[in-house]
């Protein structure tokens, strides 16, 4: 079977692997239909992802069909079902696991990063990691995991309908945060440097948009929030300016939730931590409830006759074959701001 392998030196190869011949107790064999390229994958390709194996088979954004099931797999998982997967591991012993926050396991190994991933024709996974996708197509399933990360950040922020929420960064994860905050009734402000992404953010539920490259962010926020500032700011970029913007612009007694990994140290005016009595929270990966919430949302978009199905299609920048993957990654590395999701189709 075919698999994609990336090294840290801008090399991507199609390799041959043996199709799994046996399925163990409690395991499920998946036939991969679509697998998304994540931001971690382009960082691996560019040599910037120090957490990834080298070389590594990428892929943890999965749209698949169950091919076969092993013994002792629950009856609700049947061959022919469309599924996605929870790509994280948890050790069961660290402080996070002890507190039932398995998504933040100290020893987590995500598919396609710390261990080989799902960008191959078939993969065997424990049944606990296989998530039924209801009426979604395998293509749409590949969008579930990145959106669930944004959904989880909104949970971490404890967003309610009286909040004004600013999401910095309108990639797939940021879009997930925008959608979840909108579904909770919050007033959502989307911030990015790309007008196309901002237009889609408005389509996804943002009330206001701010181009942080061309507009005065402080003045716009003052106007929108009557000089209070946003109650919640979710940082979904991972850069020095956006981290500083989040702390500087959030309201007094506000909440800052950090998703993005900054590549270098960030300096802050720490007086704002104290004067504003801020809650600054990290947000990592997602929980099963986040996956279920995203699936329900996407089902509504794809099943309801009144929904705008073009919204989902707008989130998919390209669908490519394995033979096109190398050229696509080179193009992405030169056009980072123009990509929502690239799906590889088997």
């Amino acid at each position: 079977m075919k698999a994609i392998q990336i090294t840290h030196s801008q090399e991507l190869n199609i390799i041959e692997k043996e199709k799994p011949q046996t399925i163990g107790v409690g395991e499920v064999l998946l036939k991969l239909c679509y697998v998304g390229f994540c931001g971690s994958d382009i960082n691996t390709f560019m040599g910037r992802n120090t957490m990834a194996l080298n070389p590594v088979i990428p892929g943890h954004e999965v749209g698949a069909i169950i091919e076969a099931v092993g013994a002792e797999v629950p009856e609700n998982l049947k061959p022919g079902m469309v599924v996605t997967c929870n790509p994280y591991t948890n050790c069961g012993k660290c402080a996070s696991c002890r507190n039932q926050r398995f998504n933040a396991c100290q020893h987590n190994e995500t598919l396609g990063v710390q261990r080989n991933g799902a960008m191959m024709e078939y993969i065997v996974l424990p049944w606990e990691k296989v998530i039924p996708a209801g009426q979604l197509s395998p293509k749409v399933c590949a969008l579930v995991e990145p959106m669930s990360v944004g959904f989880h950040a909104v949970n971490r922020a404890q967003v309610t309908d009286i909040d004004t929420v600013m999401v910095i960064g309108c990639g797939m994860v940021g879009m997930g945060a925008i959608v979840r905050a909108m579904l909770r009734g919050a007033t959502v402000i989307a911030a990015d440097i790309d007008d196309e992404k901002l237009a889609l953010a408005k389509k996804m539920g943002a009330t206001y948009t701010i181009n942080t490259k061309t507009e005065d962010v402080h003045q716009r926020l003052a106007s929108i929030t009557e000089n209070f500032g946003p109650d919640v700011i979710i940082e979904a970029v991972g850069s020095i300016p956006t981290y500083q913007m989040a702390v500087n612009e959030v309201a007094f007694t506000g909440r800052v939730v950090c998703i993005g990994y900054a590549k270098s140290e960030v300096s802050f005016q720490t007086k704002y931590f104290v004067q504003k009595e801020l809650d600054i929270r990290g947000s990592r990966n997602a929980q099963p409830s986040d996956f279920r919430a995203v699936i329900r949302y996407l089902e509504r978009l794809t099943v309801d006759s009144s929904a705008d199905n073009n919204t989902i299609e707008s989130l998919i920048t390209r669908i490519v074959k394995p033979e096109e993957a190398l050229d696509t990654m080179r193009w992405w590395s030169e056009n980072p701001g123009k990509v929502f999701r690239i799906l590889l189709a088997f």
Side-chain angles (χ1 to χ4, degrees), residues 5-221:
Q5 187 179 70
I6 295 176
T7 72
H8 291 209
S9 54
Q10 300 189 38
E11 293 182 3
L12 183 151
N13 299 299
I14 301 172
I15 62 173
E16 287 291 328
K17 287 178 63 68
E18 184 178 354
K19 178 183 174 181
Q21 300 298 312
T22 59
I23 308 171
V25 174
E27 292 183 333
V28 178
L29 175 65
L30 301 184
K31 176 177 173 57
L32 280 304
C33 300
Y34 295 89
V35 183
F37 277 110
C38 175
S40 63
D41 299 327
I42 191 65
N43 282 326
T44 299
F45 181 75
M46 297 296 293
R48 299 191 296 244
N49 190 352
T50 58
M51 295 187 294
L53 296 176
N54 186 19
V56 65
I57 295 173
H60 55 259
E61 303 172 1
V62 167
I65 295 173
I66 295 179
E67 181 88 354
V69 298
E72 299 182 20
V73 171
E75 292 184 358
N76 68 307
L77 297 175
K78 301 178 185 297
M81 288 182 62
V82 176
V83 297
T84 187
C85 77
N86 181 330
Y88 323 121
T89 64
N90 57 279
C91 69
K93 299 177 182 179
C94 70
S96 299
C97 291
R98 183 178 61 185
N99 291 326
Q100 303 293 301
R101 290 166 65 175
F102 302 113
N103 59 292
C105 174
Q106 181 178 351
H107 306 292
N108 166 66
E109 294 182 350
T110 299
L111 281 174
V113 186
Q114 294 94 345
R115 57 186 172 130
N116 281 325
M119 204 161 278
M120 60 183 80
E121 293 183 85
Y122 294 89
I123 192 171
V124 173
L125 294 175
W127 73 262
E128 295 91 342
K129 298 299 182 182
V130 178
I131 303 172
Q135 301 181 68
L136 297 185
S137 69
K139 181 173 68 173
V140 175
C141 279
L143 305 178
V144 170
E145 191 276 342
M147 290 194 75
S148 72
V149 176
F151 271 48
H152 182 64
V154 172
N155 286 342
R156 290 284 292 141
Q158 297 177 297
V159 170
T160 72
D161 58 352
I162 64 171
D163 287 321
T164 297
V165 179
M166 178 181 181
V167 179
I168 307 175
C170 296
M172 275 298 297
V173 171
M175 288 296 182
I178 288 166
V179 168
R180 188 55 160 165
M182 175 271 295
L183 291 173
R184 290 193 172 191
T187 299
V188 183
I189 305 166
D192 201 282
I193 61 174
D194 187 278
D195 286 331
E196 290 182 22
K197 288 185 175 181
L198 291 171
L200 183 55
K202 198 151 193 178
K203 196 174 180 181
M204 299 290 286
T207 306
Y208 303 97
T209 61
I210 300 175
N211 187 315
T212 59
K213 189 175 183 179
T214 61
E215 298 182 74
D216 186 319
V217 176
H218 182 76
Q219 288 298 323
R220 285 278 281 127
L221 289 176

Side-chain angles (χ1 to χ4, degrees), residues 243-261:
Y243 261 84
Q244 292 172 334
M245 181 190 300
V247 170
N248 293 346
E249 299 296 344
V250 73
F252 274 64
T253 68
R255 289 99 73 197
V256 175
V257 175
C258 308
I259 309 175
Y261 281 88

